[in-house]
Amino acid sequence: MRALVEAAQKPGFPASIELVLSNRADAAGLAYAADAGIATAVLPHGDYESREAFEAALDATLREAGIELICLAGFMRLLSDEFVEGWRNRVINIHPSLLPSFRGLRTHERALATGVRVHGATVHYVRAEMDDGPIIVQGAVPVLDEDTAESLAARVLEAEHRIYPLALSWVAGRKARVVAEKVILEGLPTPEDSVLIVPSDVPQADAPQN
Ligand SMILES: Nc1nc2c(c(=O)[nH]1)N[C@@H](CN(C=O)c1ccc(C(=O)N[C@@H](CCC(=O)O)C(=O)O)cc1)CN2
Ligand SMILES: NCC(=O)N[C@@H]1O[C@H](COP(=O)([O-])[O-])[C@@H](O)[C@H]1O
């Protein structure tokens, strides 16, 4: 969320962060948002007798705040088909894997256990099916032999803080549209922009001695 707020503070960014909402009163980002002068709201899902009741309150709070686009940032509640359809193509999410690989939880542990060499994160439009929506942008990072889930998560998070503001700028800037459940990116400088490779700290193998 902080990466989105900082990006939206830049002149000419095509969106403004008007509300930061959490279903957890202890979410660390709420204090940051309040300090940044952004309205905040807390809807503890446990206070509602059902998901429907929780989502009805969520929907009302967002509409009353005049929200046009929802960015899920570490939001860990599955949203119902009804809610997602009510906000079709106006809810995006970031998931810490290169979808469709490693849907769900514990993505970094599973990536290490599987032995993949490249891992990363995905920003996608949200659909009722978990982690299954049209992909807007992906950020890939190398998996190093010495990686732990923590060190890999940190490298992925660095990529996340770069790709989420990009995705938001494209969606809010009307450069991204969904056609047959695929995202068409228009007017982007070069196609490479929709894939981010972060070879940030890969030790350069010494050039082979000819
Ligand atoms: N309809 C959808 N809702 C959400 C999606 C989505 O793609 N479609 N993405 C998630 C975020 N997410 C993965 O990126 C994710 C969030 C939560 C869970 C999960 O298993 N949640 C459990 C409860 C966990 C908890 O409260 O800590 C649940 O909801 O029962 C998996 C993946 C956001 N919503
Ligand atoms: N399935 C959703 C999910 O796992 N989202 C992940 O939660 C983290 C939130 O980071 P933060 O606490 O630094 O904002 C991020 O890595 C995001 O991809």
Side-chain angles (χ1 to χ4, degrees):
M1 174 271 296
R2 185 170 39 210
L4 296 177
V5 168
E6 288 169 358
Q9 288 166 342
K10 294 201 172 78
F13 193 86
S16 58
I17 312 289
E18 297 296 332
L19 176 68
V20 171
L21 182 153
S22 179
N23 61 310
R24 299 176 62 102
D26 62 353
L30 291 167
Y32 168 82
D35 294 348
I38 300 169
T40 63
V42 176
L43 299 179
H45 59 274
D47 290 2
Y48 298 85
E49 73 273 2
S50 66
R51 268 183 201 270
E52 292 69 26
F54 166 70
E55 289 186 357
L58 178 61
D59 188 77
T61 304
L62 294 167
R63 293 187 192 282
E64 277 152 27
I67 297 304
E68 297 171 295
L69 181 63
I70 300 169
C71 299
L72 304 180
F75 183 76
M76 300 306 287
R77 301 303 295 174
L78 284 179
L79 296 167
S80 70
D81 190 358
E82 189 200 0
F83 182 93
V84 170
E85 286 315 306
W87 289 85
R88 190 163 179 82
N89 292 337
R90 290 190 292 138
V91 188
I92 61 177
N93 177 55
I94 191 161
H95 180 76
S97 80
L98 293 176
L99 291 173
S101 297
F102 310 121
R103 288 191 169 104
L105 303 174
R106 300 178 49 259
T107 60
H108 309 307
E109 293 88 340
R110 293 157 60 201
L112 287 172
T114 309
V116 293
R117 290 293 179 203
V118 176
H119 184 42
T122 303
V123 181
H124 62 94
Y125 286 97
V126 168
R127 293 289 183 262
E129 178 65 26
M130 183 176 65
D131 305 334
D132 190 45
I135 292 172
I136 302 166
V137 63
Q138 294 186 298
V141 301
V143 180
L144 307 181
D145 296 346
E146 62 272 23
D147 266 329
T148 61
E150 291 67 32
S151 63
L152 185 54
R155 192 172 309 115
V156 171
L157 206 54
E158 187 196 325
E160 293 186 64
H161 294 166
R162 298 172 65 180
I163 64 172
Y164 213 173
L166 266 181
L168 176 55
S169 71
W170 295 340
V171 172
R174 306 277 188 276
K175 289 200 173 77
R177 62 191 173 87
V178 179
V179 178
E181 289 301 80
K182 292 277 182 309
V183 175
I184 309 296
L185 297 172
E186 283 149 354
L188 289 181
T190 59
E192 285 83 37
D193 284 328
S194 56
V195 177
L196 178 71
I197 300 291
V198 187
S200 53
D201 51 8
V202 174
Q204 301 307 311
D206 302 336
Q209 306 307 313
N210 294 331

